[in-house]
């Protein structure tokens, strides 16, 4: 909305002091012509914005033009800034809204808090894009138009029509009753019901969405944390799950457990390794998880898993064998 953009423009000038039309256009994701029209609208509304000519010129506000929010203390402001650094909002298409909100929070702080809180927030990094092994943690992309439509239906309590591409299935249209949204490791999920049955949809697999005018059939209040736990339990109990017996180096235990659905039993062997009974979603999942651990783990049962890992290792050895 234009009103939100005008506020963001003022806050950008407050924080940076002077910005060119091109820089403002990049920040606001609009054209320079739109920025110039917004500057004219602000001037007409009495906002003291003026242009500075020359090579290093741009637009600026007269000193002292600001509003203050005095209800926040330093720690509260720091908490907001740190929360604003999380990437979870991206999963729901709220990244630009979050950035705008953070601008408003910083600008509204009393000057005594602003610099110290912003400086302290720079010392904290939440959920970086890569881990210590430089493995990139890629958040799933959800088009803004789809995310906005889903959000509107969830907040308004209306039915939602989605074109959904389930794994290994042809995309189909479904009409659902949205309950809430959950983000886990930068993946967004829609919790809903369809014909009275619980359903969970991955937002990245929603190809199109349309909010309907019909009210959704759902309770007035919901405990999303409890609902997510219940659905997670149902998920772990379904599918082509397999349980395997494996020996693992204690140093790699957390890596194994982190990929498994559940650990059903665990004990230490005489050589210090751990013997675990672990459940995976399906045979392919089990083979992949054990293969990642190379010689730091050994599948003891079932036999098909041992055979599969042996065949894969033999194929690799053949590929890299000494050529004559």
């Amino acid at each position: 909305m234009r009103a939100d953009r005008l506020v963001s423009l003022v806050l950008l000038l407050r924080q940076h002091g002077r910005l060119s039309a091109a820089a403002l256009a990049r920040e606001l994701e609009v054209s320079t012509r739109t920025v110039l029209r917004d500057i004219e609208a602000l001037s007409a509304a009495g906002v003291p914005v003026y242009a500075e000519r020359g090579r290093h010129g741009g637009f600026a506000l007269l000193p002292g033009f600001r509003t203050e929010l005095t209800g926040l203390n330093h720690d509260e402001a720091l908490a907001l800034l740190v929360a604003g650094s999380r990437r979870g909002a991206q999963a729901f298409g709220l990244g630009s809204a979050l950035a705008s909100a953070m601008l408003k929070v910083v600008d509204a702080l009393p000057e005594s808090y602003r610099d110290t809180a912003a400086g302290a927030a720079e010392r904290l990094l939440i959920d970086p894009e890569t881990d210590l092994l430089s493995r990139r943690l890629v958040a799933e992309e959800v088009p803004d138009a789809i995310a906005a439509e889903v959000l509107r239906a969830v907040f308004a309590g209306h039915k939602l029509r989605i074109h959904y591409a389930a794994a290994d299935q042809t995309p189909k249209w479904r009409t659902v009753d949205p309950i809430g949204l959950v983000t886990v490791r930068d993946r967004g999920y829609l919790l809903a019901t369809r014909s009275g049955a619980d359903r969970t949809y991955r937002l990245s697999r929603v190809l199109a969405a349309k909010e309907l005018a019909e009210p959704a059939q759902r309770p007035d209040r919901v405990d999303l944390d409890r609902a997510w736990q219940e659905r997670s339990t149902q998920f772990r109990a379904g599918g082509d799950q397999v349980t395997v017996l494996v020996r693992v180096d204690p140093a790699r235990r957390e890596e194994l457990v982190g990929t498994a659905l559940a650990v059903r039993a665990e004990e230490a062997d005489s050589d210090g390794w751990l013997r675990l009974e672990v459940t995976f979603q399906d045979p392919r999942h089990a083979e992949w998880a054990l293969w990642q651990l190379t010689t730091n783990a050994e599948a003891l049962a079932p036999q098909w898993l041992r055979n599969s890992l042996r065949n894969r290792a033999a194929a690799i050895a053949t590929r890299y064998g000494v050529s004559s």
Side-chain angles (χ1 to χ4, degrees):
M1 295 176 61
R2 191 186 188 200
D4 291 335
R5 190 175 68 243
L6 292 176
V7 171
S8 294
L9 193 157
V10 171
L11 295 178
L12 285 168
L13 294 178
R14 280 289 308 147
Q15 290 191 31
H16 296 281
R18 182 190 303 110
L19 287 172
S20 67
L24 287 167
R26 285 194 300 272
E27 291 287 344
L28 298 172
E29 299 181 352
V30 296
S31 66
T32 54
R33 180 176 298 179
T34 297
V35 168
L36 295 176
R37 286 199 299 265
D38 288 348
I39 292 292
E40 292 179 0
L42 289 172
S43 297
V47 177
V49 57
Y50 65 95
E52 292 188 355
R53 308 294 180 184
R55 179 180 178 184
H56 300 292
F59 295 99
L61 294 168
L62 289 178
F65 179 79
R66 70 187 313 268
T67 58
E68 286 195 351
L69 176 65
T70 58
L72 291 177
N73 61 36
H74 176 272
D75 289 342
E76 291 170 339
L78 176 60
L80 282 174
L81 292 174
V82 171
S85 71
R86 298 186 65 88
R87 301 197 312 273
Q90 301 296 338
F92 301 142
L94 294 174
S96 60
L98 180 60
S100 175
M102 288 301 102
L103 280 173
K104 295 175 183 178
V105 168
V106 172
D107 186 75
L109 288 174
E111 190 167 354
S112 59
Y113 291 157
R114 195 187 325 144
D115 293 338
T116 55
E122 291 176 354
R123 306 285 178 176
L124 302 172
L125 176 61
I126 309 298
D127 291 338
E129 292 186 356
T130 59
D131 63 13
L132 286 175
L133 299 178
S134 296
R135 293 176 298 197
R136 186 172 179 80
L137 308 176
V138 181
E140 294 185 339
E141 295 293 331
V142 180
D144 290 345
I146 292 176
E149 202 73 14
V150 172
L151 282 170
R152 280 195 292 268
V154 169
F155 294 152
H158 290 166
K159 287 185 179 293
L160 181 68
R161 183 85 168 148
I162 59 174
H163 193 213
Y164 190 73
D168 302 323
Q169 295 183 24
T170 302
K172 297 179 181 178
W173 283 97
R174 298 167 168 86
T175 298
V176 303
D177 296 296
I179 293 175
L181 292 164
V182 176
T183 178
V184 180
R185 298 177 183 175
D186 290 334
R187 289 182 176 178
Y189 297 89
L190 168 67
L191 272 58
T193 61
R194 184 159 60 94
S195 300
D198 289 343
R199 294 288 187 270
T200 303
Y201 301 100
R202 199 149 145 196
L203 289 182
S204 61
R205 292 178 177 168
V206 177
L207 306 180
K210 177 64 177 177
E211 176 193 4
L212 304 180
E214 183 181 354
Q217 300 298 314
R218 66 181 191 180
D220 293 334
R221 301 186 64 84
V222 63
D223 184 342
L224 274 185
D225 185 59
R226 180 178 178 181
W228 180 254
Q229 292 297 330
E230 291 175 348
R231 296 187 185 204
S232 297
T233 300
Q234 293 172 4
F235 174 79
R236 288 193 297 269
D240 301 322
Q241 294 181 9
V242 295
T243 298
V244 306
L245 183 62
V246 58
R247 274 171 35 88
V248 63
D249 184 331
R252 306 294 295 274
R253 177 193 180 279
E254 293 306 314
E255 189 173 345
L256 173 66
V257 171
T259 62
L261 293 181
V263 177
R264 299 185 178 276
E266 180 176 351
E267 62 181 17
D269 274 351
S270 57
D271 61 357
W273 275 37
L274 301 174
R275 186 179 295 248
L276 285 78
E277 188 177 343
V278 187
T279 299
F280 293 100
Q281 185 61 38
D282 53 38
R284 186 172 61 177
H285 180 197
E287 181 181 345
W288 174 86
L290 271 295
W291 182 258
Q292 306 308 305
L293 299 178
T294 63
T295 58
N296 296 125
E298 178 188 2
L300 301 177
Q303 187 61 42
W304 63 260
L305 180 57
R306 291 178 60 86
N307 294 342
S308 180
L309 291 169
R310 182 185 64 243
N311 294 339
R312 178 181 282 203
I316 291 292
T318 300
R319 175 63 60 87
Y320 292 101
V322 178
S323 58
S324 56

